[in-house]
Amino acid sequence: MKTWKKGLLAAGVFGLAFLVFIAIQATAKPPLQKDQARSQAPLVVTQQLQAQSHRFELQLWAEVRPKEQTTLTPEVAGRIIALDPNFIAGGVITKGTVLVQLDDADYQVALLSAQAAVASAQSALAQEQAQARVAEQELKHLSRDQITALALRQPQLLSAEAALKSAQAGLQKAHRDLDRTRISAPYDALVVKRNIGLGQVVSTGTALGELYSVEQAELYVPVASFDLAYLPAERAGIPAQLRTEHVSRDAKVVRDLGLINSQTRMSHLVVQLDDPYAVRSQQPVIRFGQYVEVRLAGRVEDKLYTIPQDALSNGKVWLLQPDMTMAQQHVEVVRQTGKFAYVKAGLTDGQQLILTVPNFPQPGMAVRTEQSDDKLVKAE
């Protein structure tokens, strides 16, 4: 009886275990199919790589300065009797405009006196020339050895010629002094300040005002030594573009200063802008003192891959393999800018660059793209 009970208990345990196994099999999920596993892989965005020629561009900053600046001073003394209306701080004037007119009455008198002196000297010279001809006729009967220069009145003639030249020089000076009573703009200019007023008596060398030329502006653009490598060897003539918040103007590099600043260790290129205040054109105005962005056109490099800066990490990128797995690749970067990196070696045309890398990426990790999802949907 006891053995029979033990056998019955064992059969019950075995039957219960069998029922549990059947229940587990009935509720267990079927194994994942290959397509289902792939559909759960991380989704990535890719970019197909294609090498292209690229012109480097340097983005720098510099202050706009006048190429010429002049402190206006008179060369003669006098009382100011007229001022140009635009000869005020902030006024823009064109070349040749008479900015200051001095009282020229005394200089008109001096001119008349110089003219009279010339006429008198010309008359004296004519008299001496006539007397020299008479003396030469009277001394014809004498031999050459007996005739002296004094007898021929040559010293008197030379003196009269010298007096005429002196009078003519005085006349030229009188004309210049009269012209100098009108003080004109030496170039198209911006008036920075005016130091004098109407009726004021000024002397030679008095500072009348300060002018900045608006015919051309210059910018001394600092360039780091590692950026110079991306510019052509011949600096003069490099195209440049000046940009502010609302304005863009074309300019050009005219020279390299040939120095390296001892404090900043920067080189400087001089960029020239024509007609910054648009006096003779319809271009937008760029003012002196503005700090503007300067974009310099650099050299052209063949076969570079342009990739987003975010796709590069420690000199490596992630690539999508044909079997939809990830692989890491070391690349040679030529230059990096704010948004992009330019790769010279390590990549080939047609490769798929992964732009959105999953968390905790590993070589060989399976991923999917929108294109692969589309293919999967169509296959189903």
Side-chain angles (χ1 to χ4, degrees):
M1 186 67 181
K2 189 175 181 181
T3 303
W4 176 83
K5 288 182 179 180
K6 288 182 179 181
L8 184 61
L9 179 61
V13 171
F14 178 77
L16 182 61
F18 180 76
L19 292 174
V20 171
F21 175 75
I22 294 298
I24 291 174
Q25 290 294 323
T27 58
K29 294 182 180 179
L32 291 175
Q33 299 296 318
K34 182 178 181 180
D35 289 341
Q36 292 175 322
R38 188 174 69 183
S39 67
Q40 295 181 358
L43 180 66
V44 297
V45 178
T46 63
Q47 168 191 326
Q48 186 171 7
L49 296 173
Q50 180 67 45
Q52 295 179 337
S53 295
H54 175 75
R55 180 182 290 278
F56 291 110
E57 183 181 71
L58 300 187
Q59 293 177 301
L60 308 167
W61 293 84
E63 181 183 351
V64 181
R65 306 178 183 180
K67 183 178 181 180
E68 299 287 348
Q69 54 189 64
T70 302
T71 299
L72 205 63
T73 58
E75 296 179 83
V76 295
R79 181 172 57 88
I80 298 172
I81 60 173
L83 292 170
D84 187 89
N86 288 325
F87 186 40
I88 53 175
V92 177
I93 52 180
T94 56
K95 181 178 180 179
T97 301
V98 177
L99 304 179
V100 179
Q101 174 67 61
L102 302 180
D103 185 1
D104 62 358
D106 292 341
Y107 298 99
Q108 293 281 5
V109 171
L111 177 61
L112 291 174
S113 177
Q115 289 172 339
V118 169
S120 177
Q122 287 174 335
S123 176
L125 177 60
Q127 292 178 11
E128 284 298 334
Q129 288 172 337
Q131 291 178 3
R133 286 194 296 271
V134 170
E136 186 177 3
Q137 290 294 328
E138 291 177 346
L139 298 175
K140 268 186 177 182
H141 64 282
L142 297 177
S143 65
R144 185 173 296 275
D145 294 338
Q146 293 176 316
I147 302 174
T148 63
L150 184 60
L152 294 174
R153 300 190 64 84
Q154 289 180 356
Q156 295 87 334
L157 185 60
L158 291 174
S159 178
E161 290 175 347
L164 177 59
K165 290 181 179 179
S166 177
Q168 288 173 336
L171 179 60
Q172 290 180 0
K173 182 178 185 303
H175 275 297
R176 287 199 306 271
D177 288 346
L178 182 60
D179 290 340
R180 288 168 177 169
T181 61
R182 296 184 298 275
I183 303 167
S184 304
Y187 40 65
D188 294 344
L190 169 71
V191 180
V192 178
K193 60 182 177 181
R194 193 185 81 186
N195 303 326
I196 43 82
L198 196 64
Q200 182 175 340
V201 176
V202 296
S203 59
T204 303
T206 300
L208 305 179
E210 189 171 358
L211 306 179
Y212 285 176
S213 172
V214 295
E215 293 180 356
Q216 291 175 328
E218 288 189 337
L219 298 90
Y220 288 70
V221 183
V223 185
S225 57
F226 55 81
D227 279 333
L228 286 175
Y230 301 105
L231 293 176
E234 180 58 41
R235 312 283 191 238
I238 294 175
Q241 190 176 61
L242 310 185
R243 294 186 177 185
T244 65
E245 186 176 356
H246 303 292
V247 173
S248 177
R249 290 282 301 271
D250 292 332
K252 65 180 179 179
V253 176
V254 291
R255 66 185 183 276
D256 186 336
L257 288 185
L259 302 172
I260 296 179
N261 188 285
S262 60
Q263 296 180 344
T264 64
R265 311 310 301 171
M266 304 279 272
S267 300
H268 285 79
L269 301 179
V270 181
V271 172
Q272 180 175 291
L273 172 66
D274 294 332
D275 196 16
Y277 278 72
V279 175
R280 301 185 183 275
S281 68
Q282 299 300 318
Q283 297 283 340
V285 173
I286 290 184
R287 300 176 183 274
F288 296 136
Q290 277 188 286
Y291 205 60
V292 301
E293 181 185 7
V294 182
R295 296 194 176 189
L296 300 181
R299 60 181 176 83
V300 177
E301 182 80 21
D302 293 331
K303 296 183 178 180
L304 287 183
Y305 296 93
T306 303
I307 66 173
Q309 184 81 265
D310 295 340
L312 182 69
S313 177
N314 298 323
K316 297 179 180 180
V317 297
W318 289 96
L319 299 176
L320 180 63
Q321 300 295 86
D323 62 354
M324 301 302 292
T325 60
M326 296 174 57
Q328 199 169 31
Q329 176 66 42
H330 185 274
V331 294
E332 180 184 345
V333 179
V334 176
R335 180 173 172 78
Q336 298 183 52
T337 60
K339 294 182 179 180
F340 299 101
Y342 302 94
V343 176
K344 184 176 183 179
L347 301 175
T348 58
D349 291 349
Q351 288 183 311
Q352 296 290 332
L353 174 70
I354 298 177
L355 302 179
T356 55
V357 180
N359 295 329
F360 310 109
Q362 295 294 328
M365 175 186 287
V367 294
R368 60 191 175 92
T369 64
E370 292 183 356
Q371 291 84 354
S372 64
D373 284 353
D374 292 342
K375 292 178 181 178
L376 181 59
V377 171
K378 290 179 182 178
E380 291 176 350

